[in-house]
Amino acid sequence: MPATRRLSLDTHSEVFDLLQDHANETFYDFSTVQARPNTVYVIGRQQLMDNMPRVREMCEDPAFTMVFNNSAEGSWTMETQLKSMGILEIVKDRRLLLICGAAVAPDVPCLVHEYFLPKILDFDETFEAQRHTPEIFLKRDKPYKFLFLNGRARPHRKYLYERLRHLDLLASSLYTMLDAKPCVWRSFALQEGDLNVLATPTPLVRLPDHYEVPRYRDPKFVNVLPDRSFLKQELFRMEWGEIYLYPPPYIDTYFSLVTETVCAESLVSFRTEKMAKPLAMGHPFIVASSVNFYRELRDLGFLTFDQLIDESFDQIDHAQTRVDRLLEVVHDLCQQDLGSFLDQCRPICIHNQQRLSELAQQQRQAFPLRFHEFISSHARY
């Protein structure tokens, strides 16, 4: 930060690790922070909600630069949250700046922070898991064709689950469904006679113990109760358990069918830990996400498998049509020699592992300057 401005940084904000060396002070409770002129305050979502009246008041004073950091959310969720909290207008007026996980509307001042992809490399478990990547390619006779992990209920996940079941492909996958709630959304429709399939609950399925991260193995979850609608938080003990990598599910499958958070809700890609995991593990992938997700992934320097499979579904605007075409690709791939496919994927997967490490290093080096330039271009004093 320039000498004329101080930096006050929320310890729970997603950019804390990137900016802490540049901070004049840090805080975990914004209500205890003394308001000082010529200071940039970076505040996370919880502290914003807990201190909304004070933040609003400080947003009105040009002596302060207020920054809301919510890099764990993409554009659609961020805009929805801004509306629900009643602060969209002060954001558009540039009285409250944003750091977000994906680009938002052009009239919203936002610094995009690629949070999840580099974040997976912050855990020792990831590096231990990566030592086992060669085993993915050495094991040829695998018990499952693909890995299909689903946590919170979302329409495209429910749609994929039901279509895979109808295609007799679900039984060939190692999969989870940790949320039983129905998922009705205007972008997806699936009827069986008079039955709206998306309006039906989904049976809960967790990974068998020998595939689960050891810290989340618990005898009480061996037999899932049919009336428990949301298993994820209990299974992961209220932690962000999805971030940890455990090699066996990747070793025993030929590719990952990734269901990203956003599919139909936004035209802007948002990459989470769901995409980070196959990249970090060196696992081939097919991704159900927003239009042009693959293109934006390649713009970051990653490689996809367009020389081996038809990835043209990425360019289809209509969400259900895009997912239907993706399902055709999955079906066709499952009929092929997956061992040969895996051999051809190996150089791409190794490149992606290396690129992920490079991206993390580049972000750590570049983000403080990007942040300074963003603040300088929007500060009101």
Side-chain angles (χ1 to χ4, degrees):
M1 293 300 295
T4 56
R5 293 195 186 102
R6 302 175 70 256
L7 176 60
S8 182
L9 186 60
D10 187 343
T11 58
H12 288 97
S13 65
E14 292 93 345
V15 297
F16 177 77
D17 290 344
L18 299 173
L19 293 178
Q20 61 177 321
D21 291 343
H22 303 267
N24 299 95
E25 67 178 4
T26 62
F27 62 88
Y28 62 89
D29 182 355
F30 190 61
S31 68
T32 67
V33 175
Q34 180 182 353
R36 298 175 183 269
N38 301 329
T39 300
V40 178
Y41 292 94
V42 178
I43 185 168
R45 183 171 182 269
Q46 189 59 54
Q47 287 303 304
L48 174 68
M49 296 177 65
D50 291 347
N51 298 274
M52 185 65 76
R54 188 181 190 211
V55 172
R56 283 180 174 274
E57 181 181 350
M58 293 176 69
C59 285
E60 299 302 321
D61 190 336
F64 310 116
T65 300
M66 307 300 295
V67 183
F68 173 30
N69 175 207
N70 200 6
S71 309
E73 301 292 356
S75 58
W76 179 78
T77 307
M78 177 65 99
E79 292 187 47
T80 301
Q81 289 184 1
L82 295 176
K83 291 176 182 177
S84 67
M85 290 188 286
I87 58 175
L88 181 58
E89 291 309 312
I90 66 173
V91 170
K92 287 186 175 182
D93 289 344
R94 289 168 166 73
R95 288 173 284 163
L96 178 63
L97 306 179
L98 295 182
I99 304 175
C100 185
V104 290
D107 59 345
V108 175
C110 175
L111 175 62
V112 176
H113 170 218
E114 187 76 47
Y115 175 62
F116 286 102
L117 295 192
K119 183 66 178 177
I120 199 169
L121 298 181
D122 288 347
F123 299 88
D124 292 339
E125 290 88 344
T126 297
F127 297 105
E128 175 59 29
Q130 287 179 323
R131 293 179 56 245
H132 296 270
T133 293
E135 298 173 43
I136 294 173
F137 302 96
L138 289 174
K139 187 169 185 177
R140 304 302 295 253
D141 186 15
K142 300 177 186 285
Y144 301 98
K145 292 184 177 179
F146 60 95
L147 184 62
F148 180 49
L149 301 178
N150 298 280
R152 189 173 296 277
R154 295 190 182 276
H156 59 290
R157 292 173 185 159
K158 171 69 169 173
Y159 183 80
L160 271 167
Y161 166 86
E162 296 292 351
R163 289 292 317 280
L164 289 169
R165 185 170 63 84
H166 293 164
L167 291 168
D168 292 328
L169 288 176
L170 195 62
S172 300
S173 71
L174 178 61
Y175 76 97
T176 62
M177 293 296 291
L178 303 183
D179 192 346
K181 292 192 296 294
C183 289
V184 179
W185 183 259
R186 60 184 178 273
S187 298
F188 290 90
L190 187 60
Q191 291 286 138
E192 290 181 355
D194 294 332
L195 178 65
N196 180 355
V197 177
L198 299 185
T200 63
T202 309
L204 289 170
V205 177
R206 63 180 289 268
L207 285 174
D209 267 352
H210 60 285
Y211 286 122
E212 186 56 85
V213 174
R215 68 192 291 166
Y216 297 122
R217 296 175 187 173
D218 194 322
K220 74 177 181 178
F221 294 123
V222 170
N223 295 309
V224 176
L225 299 178
D227 59 348
R228 185 181 293 148
S229 64
F230 188 48
L231 180 61
K232 183 172 136 179
Q233 288 179 320
E234 296 177 69
L235 177 62
F236 295 143
R237 303 169 196 173
M238 306 303 289
E239 295 181 334
W240 184 33
E242 306 98 306
I243 193 62
Y244 297 114
L245 281 172
Y246 188 53
Y250 298 90
I251 294 171
D252 278 356
T253 55
Y254 295 94
F255 66 95
S256 290
L257 175 53
V258 179
T259 53
E260 259 296 1
T261 298
V262 174
C263 185
E265 302 87 345
S266 175
L267 296 177
V268 179
S269 289
F270 177 49
R271 293 161 290 276
T272 73
E273 82 286 344
K274 303 166 192 64
M275 187 68 252
K277 292 173 80 170
L279 291 173
M281 198 63 213
H283 204 229
F285 55 80
I286 298 174
V287 189
S289 188
S290 54
V291 63
N292 292 323
F293 181 91
Y294 277 63
R295 185 187 68 188
E296 296 186 25
L297 195 64
R298 288 191 289 265
D299 287 344
L300 289 173
F302 295 101
L303 299 178
T304 62
F305 306 90
D306 54 340
Q307 300 301 311
L308 304 175
I309 59 177
D310 181 4
E311 296 177 343
S312 61
F313 59 83
D314 183 55
Q315 302 166 37
I316 299 174
D317 290 328
H318 186 263
Q320 182 165 323
T321 305
R322 185 167 63 253
V323 173
D324 283 339
R325 178 63 191 127
L326 177 151
L327 280 163
E328 292 178 14
V329 173
V330 172
H331 180 270
D332 290 347
L333 181 58
C334 287
Q335 314 311 309
Q336 298 177 23
D337 179 352
L338 288 172
S340 176
F341 169 76
L342 198 62
D343 287 341
Q344 296 175 79
C345 289
R346 185 169 189 167
I348 298 172
C349 295
I350 300 306
H351 167 89
N352 287 338
Q353 274 189 320
Q354 296 170 345
R355 177 58 194 149
L356 185 62
S357 179
E358 294 170 356
L359 180 67
Q361 295 172 10
Q362 289 169 0
Q363 182 185 85
R364 186 165 294 278
Q365 294 170 359
F367 187 82
L369 178 59
R370 292 182 62 229
F371 176 76
H372 161 59
E373 292 174 344
F374 174 67
I375 296 301
S376 298
S377 65
H378 290 96
R380 294 176 291 167
Y381 59 87

